[in-house]
Amino acid sequence: MNATAAVAAAVVPAAGRGERLGPGAPKALRELGGVPLLVHAVRALARSRAVGLVVVAAPPDGVAEVAALLDSHGLDGKDLRVVAGGATRQESVRLGLAAIPAGTGIVLVHDAARPLVPVDVVDAVVAAVRAGAEAVVPAVSLADTVKRVAAAAAPGGPEPVLDTPDRATLRAVQTPQGFLRDTLHEVHEKALAEEADGGLPPVTDDAGLVERFGGQVVVVPGHEEAFKVTRPLDLVLAEAVLARRRASDGF
Ligand code: CTP
Ligand code: MG
């Protein structure tokens, strides 16, 4: 692998509104310990020696604001770019990917909404791509049993259960997900072409696109602290995790 390929670039989709979090600022700008979620997420990536460039896909009307915000928080000497995101997560990632030099070997995609991912997870994902995988996702096993259901007969009514997949074979996937840059670029272009033909709906994770087009995705261990801030209770949990870190190591 040449020198350019050895340094990974990261795309951070941060253009979502955070509707499930409730009214307030766009989710990426909501604060955790007095610092925006996005800044935590970018710092978590920048902590990895493997990451040389971070591209943030910001809300289209907030590019200048996000760039100023990241500037004011400093980034440990990494390259940083802010681009306008899109209407779906998939589109935001594609637009972020377009700002990464074609010669880059490895690309990570990391949700702005996962502010507390430990650097060991970032490094493990990069290491698995370096070791030969084209697509890598960090994941954890499930605490709850999961059931597949069909639509309720009447809106709001009970949903009939179809079946119960064996929990031991299920994983909840997190980010950063890691890819060979060429693989990720190719599947995003294919998905865009399909979409124009009225094809499948957008995916909620990038590895899903690799699967859709026949690539091999592998799983490495994720971390419970890499959870996604989605609902109000997640912010309470994130505050508690951050307070514990600050108490234990002056994080
Ligand atoms: N995202 C994005 N562009 C979009 C939608 C989502 O960049 N058009 C990003 C979010 O900013 C977030 C990540 O994708 O960092 C994961 O998405 P999710 O947790 O669903 O965030 P939101 O879409 O903002 O939340 P919600 O679905 O509750 O509105
Ligand atoms: Mg969403």
Side-chain angles (χ1 to χ4, degrees):
M1 202 171 266
N2 64 36
T4 324
V7 179
V11 175
V12 178
R17 281 198 298 272
E19 272 162 19
R20 287 169 289 177
L21 204 50
K27 183 159 72 176
L29 303 182
R30 298 279 285 262
E31 292 195 351
L32 172 61
V35 175
L37 291 181
L38 172 64
V39 172
H40 284 283
V42 170
R43 279 184 183 158
L45 293 166
R47 227 168 264 131
S48 171
R49 291 182 55 200
V51 174
L53 163 68
V54 179
V55 177
V56 173
D61 60 353
V63 173
E65 185 192 348
V66 165
L69 181 80
L70 289 166
D71 243 19
S72 73
H73 282 87
L75 239 189
D76 305 347
K78 309 280 179 175
D79 282 344
L80 180 69
R81 282 174 216 172
V82 182
V83 300
T88 63
R89 182 187 184 282
Q90 184 176 312
E91 189 181 8
S92 294
V93 172
R94 181 166 46 78
L95 294 170
L97 196 53
I100 286 177
T104 306
I106 297 175
V107 172
L108 301 175
V109 181
H110 182 58
D111 293 326
R114 296 184 192 270
L116 297 173
V117 62
V119 69
D120 288 356
V121 175
V122 182
D123 288 338
V125 169
V126 173
V129 182
R130 284 183 176 154
E134 65 174 340
V136 178
V137 301
V140 293
S141 54
L142 301 184
D144 294 322
T145 295
V146 172
K147 295 192 188 293
R148 275 192 339 116
V149 297
E159 299 167 321
V161 169
L162 296 174
D163 56 28
T164 306
D166 176 10
R167 192 174 67 194
T169 68
L170 298 174
R171 298 289 179 273
V173 308
Q174 305 177 325
T175 71
Q177 300 188 349
F179 305 88
L180 293 178
R181 181 262 169 205
D182 291 351
T183 297
L184 188 61
H185 180 72
E186 189 185 317
V187 296
H188 270 278
E189 290 306 309
K190 282 184 178 167
L192 183 64
E194 258 192 3
E195 227 175 89
D197 288 348
L200 295 165
V203 290
T204 51
D205 83 324
D206 299 274
L209 284 183
V210 175
E211 292 155 42
R212 182 185 291 178
F213 297 111
Q216 176 69 62
V217 179
V218 297
V219 165
V220 297
H223 195 286
E224 59 181 357
E225 293 181 4
F227 65 92
K228 185 156 67 72
V229 173
T230 305
R231 299 180 187 89
L233 187 62
D234 299 322
L235 263 183
V236 177
L237 179 60
E239 290 284 1
V241 171
L242 188 64
R244 187 177 66 180
R245 281 189 192 176
R246 283 177 171 165
S248 70
D249 58 23
F251 175 83

